[in-house]
Amino acid sequence: MLSIAIRTLRTRWVTFAGSFVALALGVSLITVMGLALASSTDAPERRPERFAQAPVMVRGQDTLRVPTAAGIRTEKLAQPRPVPAKTVAALRRLGRVTEDRSFAVRAEGAPHDLVGHPWSTAAYAPYELTAGRAPKASDEVVATGDWTSVGSRLRTGGGLVRVVGMAKVEGAGTSEAADHAFKNALFYTDARAARLAPLSTQLVVDADAAAVRRVVGTGAEVLTGVGRRLADADPDRDREALTALNALFGTAGGVTGFVSVFVVASTFAFAVAQRRREFGLLRTAGATAGQIRRTVCAEALLVGTLASATGCALGAYAAPHLASWVVDGGLAPSWFTIGAPTWPYHAAFWTGLLVSLCGATAASWRAGRTAPTEALREASVDSETLTRGRLWSGTALLATAAATPALALLTDPGDLLHRKTYVSRPMLLITAVALLSPALVRPLVRLIARLPGAVGMLVRENAAAGVRRTAAVAAPVLVTVALTGSLLGAAATLNGARTTETRHRTAADFVLTSPAGFDNATLRHLRTIPGTEVSPTASSAVYVLEDGVALIKSEARAADPRALARTVRLPLTAGRVTALDDDSIIVNEEWQTHTVGRRVTVWLDDGTRKSLRIAAVMPVGTGDNGAYVTPANAPRAPVDQVEVKLRKGADAPRVAAALKATTDRTDAEVLTRRQWIRSTAPSGIWAPGDRTTRLGFLLVLGIALLYTGISLVNTLVMATSDRLPELSSLRLTGATRAQVLRLITAESLTVVAVGALLGLLVAVLNLLGLWTALALQSVWTPLRLPWPALGTATAACALLAVVAALPPAAAALRRSALEATL
């Protein structure tokens, strides 16, 4: 059987070329993913940055620790506690104490991530002056980066300042200098920084570490050595970036494996259908059904071995380039490189071999059932295209694809809104529809192919008669269109739902935002503007222990309930906004305890434990409905948002001018209701800042389109090469060469249309589940299909199909013309 398989591969290399390329690409992507995952687990420990030269760092408690029956559960506090005043006084007796104050700065023409620091902390990076001098007056600053220069005047939220010096990190290379921890900063005098940021949660102590620990005790955290990196901004950014990177490659790898099996199984099934006369001759010559099956499996083994080895080599070559791409794109830390692990090669090679064997298994069983009488078969009409095994498998997958979201809708509708869910669930339905597609091909073809005349009749009859060929060509189109519609449609629908939530919730006419927070003087001035209702809110968080073991963090906002009720329409399912007081909380239905009047034990944003009564309950929505507390339960949370509603008869332009005049010397941004909705809840496919999701989806869809091209080219080349007698008959009946080529083009476009319709059907069914889940979460939004993307994907498939079908057809026509002259 092995020698027969080798000869078959040699003579029918066109048949197996598509499977070889698909498997090789799949294995290469799995290799790249494995190498990336292995390299990310061996990540080097980030060194201290801003405080690399600091002797000892002392930080206030920034982690909530709750003992449970399953151990201590921890969460980062939204508002870290400052070092106690008594501790600071005791530390000053040990040595010099430098308080660090970091605060967001908004300035005209400045980067959006500009951060302010006191100048005394610059020595610990260390920074060095490259031009000018250190700041001495309250309106003087030293800047880093290349966005400004000495002598420039900047209008910031804290007033007008003058740049008197430029600094950079001493001895930093290009990659370090580009790091956001150093790139864009303004250094103020210590006194000015203390006024702009009165609260300091960490400080530098020039003293012996052991003595510092004795003084601090358990009231704060002492950092030395590598541990000083925890005092840098966002010390967990490497871990978060690698987590996103792993999710990106994990999704791409899952789609790669799915489409690889899909393409290989489809290719082998079509190849077996084309070779039924060949297998019939072997059965006539005495070959058993088992020998036929072993022949097909041997062919798959040979193709899988060669393709897997090639894919490993391609993956080793591509992995470093991909690592550079994700680093340049900001998806991975600057240090991220591909290491030299060996297990990804083993995993990819054996996975590819297993995929090839799995793809050929079903085809081998069909080949084994070939009867000797098939050797006499000449008819081109397919029969028994939907076998009993294919019908049962497709029906079972279809039932599973319908039952899983139905169960989720009954038990946990919010699960369908998670990215990992709406990325993976479409694959079940795609496979089910593809298996059942032979039963749908004939009616769809007769519905679509309504061209007049002989060409239209031939297109309809050829596509309907060659069901296996039509289904094999339509399958990859189905995958591409279904994934495009399901993934991009889910993202667009969810963003549309968020837009709907924001529009319904916002009753204010103006929304003011400030990343650094509004000071008390500005808030007092805002309240004096005539004709307005003003509601300041602060970003906070609360923590709750569910089931006695799970510590859950919930985003929260602190607001005055009466002002909140006038400017915000909270979507409540029970209770009243005005019932909120210092002894209560507003929660959503995702909380384990969400009954009005019940008390729930929570930890506030600074770790304070408190028992609060539930005043009102909100639906879960898209997941952005957080909790609400009063300012008394978030005393140190800075007010970062102010909603302003016009009273009856108020002059909107005059109020807008007054708001801008009041906030002119701050970093606040004044937005109208329409501008606020557009900036916070975009209605397009991609939300601002969601770059990882965008690149991940584009990578997945790129893989699907690549496999579609491979499968289309391979299947159409195989099919056209076997249609030489049919094309010759058309020529003998008087059809011109151009007419035959137009017929081939029309058939290809018809089959692509069949696949596109099936893919659109799958996408709509998937999105209907998502839409129903949103409705159950009390969010009513229209279903959004990405028509431009769907049109682009379909057009690309149509172009590939025509390009793949015409050259072999033209070659076949030339051969038949030559044979006719001999």
Side-chain angles (χ1 to χ4, degrees):
M1 291 298 107
L2 183 60
S3 61
I4 294 176
I6 294 174
R7 292 189 181 94
T8 302
L9 290 178
R10 187 182 303 165
T11 56
R12 285 184 170 267
W13 64 271
V14 174
T15 301
F16 299 98
S19 299
F20 176 87
V21 175
L23 266 178
L25 287 175
V27 170
S28 67
L29 287 173
I30 295 172
T31 303
V32 169
M33 181 191 68
L35 290 171
L37 293 176
S39 300
S40 64
T41 56
D42 297 330
E45 191 169 21
R46 181 177 283 273
R47 306 294 298 176
E49 294 170 336
R50 280 192 59 223
F51 298 99
Q53 301 298 323
V56 180
M57 292 294 302
V58 178
R59 287 198 312 163
Q61 291 183 356
D62 67 342
T63 303
L64 173 64
R65 292 179 172 83
V66 178
T68 69
I72 295 179
R73 296 291 182 261
T74 62
E75 279 285 349
K76 286 289 183 181
L77 290 172
Q79 296 295 331
R81 297 177 180 178
V83 181
K86 292 182 178 179
T87 303
V88 175
L91 291 173
R92 293 189 187 279
R93 292 192 290 269
L94 296 179
R96 183 163 61 94
V97 174
T98 304
E99 292 183 283
D100 176 46
R101 306 171 193 275
S102 298
F103 48 94
V105 178
R106 180 180 289 173
E108 294 179 2
H112 66 88
D113 57 351
L114 190 62
V115 180
H117 304 295
W119 175 247
S120 60
T121 62
Y124 299 113
Y127 284 90
E128 61 178 6
L129 286 169
T130 58
R133 59 174 176 82
K136 296 179 181 178
S138 62
D139 64 343
E140 294 179 346
V141 295
V142 170
T144 66
D146 55 4
W147 57 276
T148 188
S149 59
V150 174
S152 300
R153 291 187 176 274
L154 307 174
R155 182 175 296 278
T156 70
L160 194 66
V161 297
R162 182 165 56 95
V163 179
V164 298
M166 299 295 297
K168 72 173 184 178
V169 179
E170 182 181 350
T174 303
S175 60
E176 288 295 329
D179 194 279
H180 78 273
F182 296 119
K183 188 176 182 181
N184 302 312
L186 285 183
F187 287 97
Y188 293 76
T189 62
D190 286 17
R192 180 62 174 164
R195 288 195 295 272
L196 293 174
L199 186 65
S200 173
T201 59
Q202 60 186 23
L203 45 88
V204 181
V205 183
D206 191 1
D208 178 68
V212 172
R213 286 192 176 90
R214 286 194 295 271
V215 169
V216 170
T218 59
E221 186 178 9
V222 178
L223 306 175
T224 58
V226 177
R228 291 169 298 176
R229 71 177 183 83
L230 298 177
D232 291 324
D234 196 11
D236 295 327
R237 61 186 180 274
D238 286 359
R239 177 176 55 82
E240 294 169 357
L242 291 177
T243 300
L245 188 67
N246 291 346
L248 170 66
F249 280 98
T251 302
V255 173
T256 299
F258 166 73
V259 182
S260 295
V261 173
F262 198 93
V263 170
V264 172
S266 177
T267 302
F268 270 97
F270 185 56
V272 167
Q274 281 192 310
R275 296 163 62 190
R276 55 184 178 268
R277 292 191 64 202
E278 173 187 331
F279 292 136
L281 287 171
L282 289 174
R283 292 299 307 277
T284 303
T288 64
Q291 288 175 322
I292 298 296
R293 295 189 186 104
R294 287 195 293 274
T295 299
V296 175
C297 289
E299 293 167 356
L301 181 64
L302 291 173
V303 172
T305 302
L306 295 175
S308 298
T310 304
C312 288
L314 288 174
Y317 173 78
H321 296 284
L322 191 59
S324 301
W325 178 71
V326 296
V327 169
D328 294 339
L331 298 178
S334 58
W335 49 259
F336 181 73
T337 57
I338 299 298
T342 58
W343 68 262
Y345 295 103
H346 289 283
F349 179 86
W350 295 111
T351 299
L353 195 57
L354 182 62
V355 164
S356 65
L357 292 175
C358 290
T361 298
S364 69
W365 281 100
R366 174 178 293 177
R369 290 197 302 271
T370 302
T373 55
E374 293 289 338
L376 303 176
R377 186 182 179 94
E378 292 291 348
S380 60
V381 178
D382 290 330
S383 59
E384 297 183 3
T385 54
L386 188 61
T387 61
R388 185 177 301 176
R390 186 165 184 164
L391 176 62
W392 287 352
S393 300
T395 303
L397 282 176
L398 186 62
T400 304
T404 49
L407 182 62
L409 291 173
L410 292 174
T411 57
D412 183 15
D415 182 60
L416 296 179
L417 308 183
H418 297 158
R419 186 181 308 160
K420 63 180 181 181
T421 302
Y422 66 72
V423 168
S424 59
R425 285 194 190 276
M427 297 180 189
L428 272 177
L429 191 55
I430 290 172
T431 308
V433 174
L435 287 173
L436 298 175
S437 60
L440 306 173
V441 163
R442 283 196 175 100
L444 282 176
V445 166
R446 300 191 185 282
L447 176 67
I448 295 171
R450 293 187 174 274
L451 296 174
V455 172
M457 183 269 294
L458 287 174
V459 167
R460 286 193 301 273
E461 298 307 320
N462 284 341
V467 172
R468 287 194 179 96
R469 180 179 69 245
T470 304
V473 176
V477 180
L478 159 66
V479 173
T480 301
V481 173
L483 284 177
T484 301
S486 298
L487 299 187
L488 301 189
T493 301
L494 285 174
N495 280 333
R498 294 187 180 101
T499 301
T500 301
E501 279 188 318
T502 305
R503 183 182 299 112
H504 290 171
R505 175 179 293 190
T506 305
D509 297 286
F510 297 94
V511 179
L512 285 64
T513 60
S514 171
F518 293 89
D519 56 35
N520 292 329
T522 302
L523 291 175
R524 284 196 300 271
H525 289 148
L526 289 173
R527 289 189 176 98
T528 62
I529 297 176
T532 62
E533 297 282 355
V534 177
S535 174
T537 62
S539 178
S540 182
V542 292
Y543 308 83
V544 63
L545 192 66
E546 295 189 351
D547 296 322
V549 293
L551 185 62
I552 308 297
K553 177 182 178 181
S554 177
E555 300 297 329
R557 296 204 69 82
D560 176 78
R562 290 174 179 79
L564 183 68
R566 290 190 290 266
T567 60
V568 177
R569 294 187 291 261
L570 287 186
L572 299 181
T573 59
R576 295 177 294 109
V577 174
T578 52
L580 179 66
D581 55 28
D582 295 344
D583 188 47
S584 62
I585 185 174
I586 296 177
V587 302
N588 62 54
E589 293 177 333
E590 196 172 18
W591 285 47
Q592 188 176 48
T593 302
H594 55 269
T595 304
V596 172
R598 294 278 302 273
R599 302 193 73 85
V600 59
T601 299
V602 301
W603 286 262
L604 304 179
D605 58 3
D606 62 352
T608 302
R609 179 171 175 166
K610 198 166 184 179
S611 174
L612 297 176
R613 174 180 50 82
I614 297 177
V617 180
M618 296 181 293
V620 177
T622 60
D624 294 333
N625 289 338
Y628 279 85
V629 295
T630 60
N633 289 321
R636 291 195 294 107
V639 174
D640 58 359
Q641 183 173 310
V642 178
E643 287 156 311
V644 180
K645 184 175 178 58
L646 299 177
R647 291 175 181 167
K648 187 175 181 179
D651 185 1
R654 183 174 296 177
V655 170
L659 293 173
K660 291 180 180 178
T662 303
T663 59
D664 182 56
R665 303 185 69 83
T666 71
D667 64 349
E669 185 177 12
V670 180
L671 301 173
T672 64
R673 180 177 182 272
R674 180 176 297 179
Q675 291 171 334
W676 167 251
I677 293 172
R678 187 168 56 247
S679 65
T680 58
S683 58
I685 292 178
W686 309 117
D690 204 2
R691 196 159 182 265
T692 301
T693 301
R694 181 170 67 253
L695 291 177
F697 279 5
L698 292 178
L699 179 61
V700 167
L701 297 178
I703 292 171
L705 187 58
L706 181 63
Y707 276 115
T708 295
I710 294 169
S711 183
L712 281 176
V713 171
N714 184 56
T715 305
L716 287 171
V717 169
M718 291 164 54
T720 307
S721 63
D722 278 359
R723 297 179 68 184
L724 181 58
E726 176 188 340
L727 300 180
S728 300
S729 298
L730 286 173
R731 293 285 282 139
L732 290 174
T733 57
T736 66
R737 185 169 181 270
Q739 287 175 325
V740 174
L741 293 179
R742 284 199 297 271
L743 173 64
I744 296 295
T745 301
E747 283 185 17
S748 301
L749 294 177
T750 299
V751 175
V752 168
V754 169
L757 278 179
L758 290 175
L760 182 62
L761 173 64
V762 171
V764 169
L765 291 176
N766 280 309
L767 294 180
L768 279 175
L770 184 72
W771 180 81
T772 306
L774 286 170
L776 292 175
Q777 301 287 70
S778 299
V779 182
W780 298 96
T781 185
L783 200 66
R784 298 175 186 267
L785 280 166
W787 292 112
L790 287 171
T792 302
T794 304
C797 292
L799 180 62
L800 287 170
V802 171
V803 171
L806 286 182
L813 289 174
R814 282 196 297 269
R815 285 197 303 271
S816 63
L818 180 62
E819 291 171 359
T821 61
L822 294 178

